[in-house]
Amino acid sequence: MERMGLGNDQKPGVSAFDQQSVIHAKPDPLSTDYLTVKDGRSVVQIPYNEIILLEAMDDYVKIFTINRFVMTLCSLSRLEKQLPRGVFTRISRSYIVRHQAIRRIDTQQVELVNGRHLNISRTKYKQNVQTLVQLLL
C-alpha cells in the first residue's frame, strides 16, 4: 500500500492522482481553449469545443470528444474546476456535458449529439439543469 504523503512538488490538499493528471491547475493563458490532461504516459490537449461529455469512472474520468475518448486518472470534480463556466454543466454525480452537445433535454434525461441518453440527477444538480434549460431556450 502506497503511503499518502506529500511529494517534493505535490501541493497540500490535492491528491496524488489529481496532481499528476491535470497538468494546469490554473488555465494557461496561451491554451485557454484546451483542457490539458494525461492519457497514460502522454499529455493531451483537448479543445473544449470538441468535448461532448465527461464521465466519472471510479478514480478515472472518460472524456468523450467528437472523434475519440481519453481516459485520465483524475476526479470529475477536479476537472470540473478546469472547464469554462457557461459552456459545461454537471447534470449528475457522474456526468458533465457541453451545452452545444445537447440535442434534446427533458425533466429526466439529456440526449447528446452522439445519440447517448443520460439521466439527470433529481436532487443535487437539479439547479444546474434548470439553469441549463433556461440557457438553451
Side-chain angles (χ1 to χ4, degrees), residues 2 12-13 15 23 30 53 59 61 63-64 75 82 85 105 118 121 132:
E2 186 176 321
S15 70
I23 304 302
L30 299 176
L53 157 74
D59 291 340
V61 174
I63 304 167
F64 292 87
S75 69
Q82 305 305 309
R85 295 185 189 270
I105 187 169
L118 306 174
S121 171
L132 176 59

Side-chain angles (χ1 to χ4, degrees), residues 54-84:
L54 292 89
E55 179 179 6
M57 304 179 94
D58 294 323
D59 291 340
Y60 290 85
V61 174
K62 193 171 191 178
I63 304 167
F64 292 87
T65 69
I66 296 166
N67 301 317
R68 63 187 172 129
F69 71 86
V70 173
M71 288 282 286
T72 188
L73 183 61
C74 186
S75 69
L76 191 60
S77 296
R78 181 76 176 165
L79 286 179
E80 183 178 21
K81 293 174 186 174
Q82 305 305 309
L83 298 171

Side-chain angles (χ1 to χ4, degrees), residues 42-58:
S42 303
V43 175
V44 181
Q45 286 190 322
I46 307 168
Y48 291 131
N49 64 354
E50 290 184 11
I51 297 173
I52 295 173
L53 157 74
L54 292 89
E55 179 179 6
M57 304 179 94
D58 294 323

Side-chain angles (χ1 to χ4, degrees), residues 86-134:
V87 178
F88 293 88
T89 297
R90 188 159 188 171
I91 62 166
S92 72
R93 181 177 170 188
S94 299
Y95 300 111
I96 297 174
V97 297
R98 183 171 56 95
H99 299 169
Q100 292 180 338
I102 297 172
R103 180 181 294 154
R104 189 179 65 80
I105 187 169
D106 62 36
T107 58
Q108 297 178 348
Q109 282 192 335
V110 169
E111 180 183 351
L112 301 176
V113 295
N114 64 357
R116 193 132 176 227
H117 291 80
L118 306 174
N119 290 328
I120 296 172
S121 171
R122 289 177 280 173
T123 56
K124 187 173 181 183
Y125 301 102
K126 189 143 185 96
Q127 181 62 42
N128 290 0
V129 174
Q130 289 171 349
T131 303
L132 176 59
V133 169
Q134 292 302 316

